[in-house]
Amino acid sequence: MDKKSISDLEQKISAEKGIHTDFKNDMTYGEYLGLDAILSSQKRLSEHHDEMLFLIIHQVSELWMKLIIHELQAAITTIQQGNMQPAFKMLARVSKIQHQIIQAWDVLATMTPAEYLQFRDSLGKASGFQSYQYRLIEFALGYKSKHILKIYEKDQAILNELKQAYEAPSIYDVAIEALVKAGLEINPALINRDFSVVYSGDDSVAAAWKTVYENIDTYWDLYQLAEKLVDIEDALQQWRFRHMKTVERIIGFKIGTGGSSGVNYLRQVLDHRFFPELWDLRTTL
């Protein structure tokens, strides 16, 4: 920017007579956001330049995950209450957030294997595999694994939160309940089932969703709900794939810092489907 442009900009700013400049007794933008705490939480354990990238990518992703959990839990409640429209807005927001997190892998992938090796040992046994917020998202979507809870025994508050989510109905469980409320015939055993058991599919649910898709005008809300769920699973699988390829690009097939098989584990979870009937009906319609 040349001197004239800078001068013009300064004149425009000075012409804004209403801009507040005295904050001795008022809350500032930074105070509202808690920026002192947020921006001072990047504590590198090495002197390597790229550890800052590694920290920020994962911290930002955790913030986005916090918002995903906030939206998913609210959507589950509103669907249970039969109030679909707010849930659609929440689920659409989740999909947009997911795409932000997916793109974060592109930034992390600018780090080379040689650069990561310079500080990898500083992580010890810490790993993204231990992200309790990611587990809360999986639980909210219906993918539950009891043995994973042992990782969180160090923090009782986190463990209690995970146990509650582990036993609670997922968003697909409440979607199936919505099918029942709409008068569609569903296997009664599904309504009061043990929600800690991973749902694997049911013929009655498949038939119900097929009816919805064949009678869109009659079941418009359920149709919209189904497509919102497909959007979320689609984006989650894209996230998982980008995660796997970024890990492979940076550490190859090494064991993860948390002890997982790394790329091989990430490939396995790609095979899991959260909402199986919603994908199968693409073939059966």
Side-chain angles (χ1 to χ4, degrees):
M1 186 178 291
D2 58 31
K3 290 183 179 180
K4 184 180 184 304
S5 298
I6 294 173
S7 176
D8 289 345
L9 179 59
E10 289 175 343
Q11 288 178 13
K12 288 177 181 177
I13 293 173
S14 64
E16 292 287 334
K17 303 300 183 183
I19 292 177
H20 297 291
T21 57
D22 183 358
F23 286 92
K24 293 184 180 67
N25 299 309
D26 291 304
M27 178 177 64
T28 66
Y29 170 79
E31 288 169 339
Y32 171 70
L33 293 177
L35 288 182
D36 283 350
I38 294 172
L39 298 179
S40 62
S41 64
Q42 293 76 45
K43 297 177 173 59
R44 289 185 291 168
L45 299 179
S46 76
E47 295 300 318
H48 196 272
H49 175 83
D50 280 7
E51 190 179 356
M52 183 65 76
L53 163 68
F54 191 83
L55 278 166
I56 289 176
I57 287 292
H58 287 86
Q59 288 177 342
V60 169
S61 293
E62 289 290 337
L63 283 172
W64 279 129
M65 283 192 274
K66 182 174 183 176
L67 185 53
I68 287 175
I69 293 162
H70 177 71
E71 300 296 341
L72 282 177
Q73 290 177 343
I76 287 171
T77 299
T78 57
I79 293 168
Q80 286 175 314
Q81 294 170 345
N83 195 9
M84 292 291 197
Q85 292 302 318
F88 297 155
K89 178 65 177 293
M90 295 164 188
L91 296 178
R93 182 174 292 157
V94 168
S95 295
K96 293 294 185 181
I97 298 166
Q98 287 176 295
H99 288 291
Q100 292 292 322
I101 299 179
I102 291 168
Q103 291 176 358
W105 293 120
D106 293 337
V107 183
L108 187 60
T110 63
M111 183 172 61
T112 69
E115 289 163 344
Y116 181 51
L117 285 174
Q118 294 299 310
F119 65 87
R120 187 181 191 234
D121 288 346
S122 301
L123 274 62
K125 295 179 181 177
S127 166
F129 185 83
Q130 298 146 19
S131 169
Y132 80 91
Q133 290 201 126
Y134 180 70
R135 299 303 170 192
L136 286 172
I137 292 170
E138 285 190 327
F139 288 0
L141 297 178
Y143 184 55
K144 302 181 179 183
S145 179
K146 188 174 184 178
H147 76 274
I148 215 76
L149 295 176
K150 187 170 179 60
I151 293 174
Y152 309 99
E153 290 178 350
K154 183 177 182 178
D155 190 318
Q156 191 61 47
I158 289 175
L159 181 61
N160 290 342
E161 185 178 3
L162 283 163
K163 283 182 175 178
Q164 183 177 353
Y166 177 75
E167 295 169 356
S170 71
I171 196 162
Y172 199 50
D173 289 316
V174 300
I176 291 171
E177 184 181 334
L179 292 172
V180 175
K181 290 176 180 177
L184 293 160
E185 189 174 344
I186 296 293
N187 180 357
L190 296 178
I191 306 307
N192 298 309
R193 74 183 191 89
D194 180 355
F195 296 120
S196 69
V197 177
V198 177
Y199 177 79
S200 58
D202 188 275
D203 289 343
S204 67
V205 175
W209 284 125
K210 192 168 187 288
T211 299
V212 168
Y213 274 73
E214 289 175 339
N215 299 274
I216 292 172
D217 291 340
T218 304
Y219 301 105
W220 179 248
D221 279 355
L222 290 170
Y223 174 69
Q224 286 191 85
L225 175 59
E227 286 300 296
K228 291 289 188 290
L229 294 179
V230 170
D231 287 343
I232 288 172
E233 179 166 351
D234 190 347
L236 183 62
Q237 293 295 57
Q238 289 183 50
W239 183 91
R240 283 174 160 178
F241 180 79
R242 289 298 299 127
H243 184 188
M244 178 194 71
K245 295 307 293 183
T246 303
V247 170
E248 183 178 356
R249 175 172 177 157
I250 295 175
I251 69 166
F253 286 82
K254 291 185 180 73
I255 297 296
T257 50
S260 75
S261 58
V263 170
N264 287 327
Y265 169 79
L266 296 172
R267 279 183 176 171
Q268 291 170 18
V269 296
L270 279 170
D271 291 333
H272 176 76
R273 296 192 302 170
F274 292 89
F275 318 127
E277 291 89 0
L278 296 181
W279 293 99
D280 289 342
L281 68 80
R282 265 77 183 158
T283 302
T284 59
L285 275 177

